[in-house]
Amino acid sequence: MTHVVGTQITAIQPFTLNGLPYTPISVFAWAHSPANVATPITATLVAGTTATYQANFTPTAPGPWIARFADSATPPTTGTFATDQRFSVQALLY
């Protein structure tokens, strides 16, 4: 799926440990721009779940964006259970 610059993206990440749902004490998330600038974004527990988190961000430039989740505060390239989600963003066309 391709997204458009200026349109909010919601990244959703389930956490598991040994194949079972895992609820971290803290979850952190970052949005990485095509220029490789990491910006912290707020991760919140998805309502009705015990181990799935979401984070919203709005891309400001076209290109590949990455949402990174981790259950430790070692930003932005490492962290326990760190995982990446990749998003393709295109310029707004009229």
Side-chain angles (χ1 to χ4, degrees):
M1 175 179 200
T2 300
H3 300 273
V4 176
V5 169
T7 303
Q8 181 175 282
I9 295 173
T10 300
I12 298 175
Q13 181 60 52
F15 279 78
T16 59
L17 179 62
N18 298 324
L20 299 173
Y22 161 67
T23 304
I25 293 171
S26 297
V27 172
F28 301 89
W30 301 267
H32 292 256
S33 72
N36 203 28
V37 174
T39 303
I41 53 179
T42 302
T44 57
L45 188 63
V46 174
T49 73
T50 59
T52 301
Y53 289 80
Q54 69 181 23
N56 301 317
F57 67 97
T58 302
T60 56
W65 282 77
I66 297 172
R68 176 168 286 152
F69 289 81
D71 75 343
S72 77
T74 310
T77 58
T78 61
T80 308
F81 304 102
T83 186
D84 292 347
Q85 294 182 28
R86 299 180 185 280
F87 299 91
S88 177
V89 177
Q90 68 181 18
L92 179 62
L93 304 174
Y94 290 96

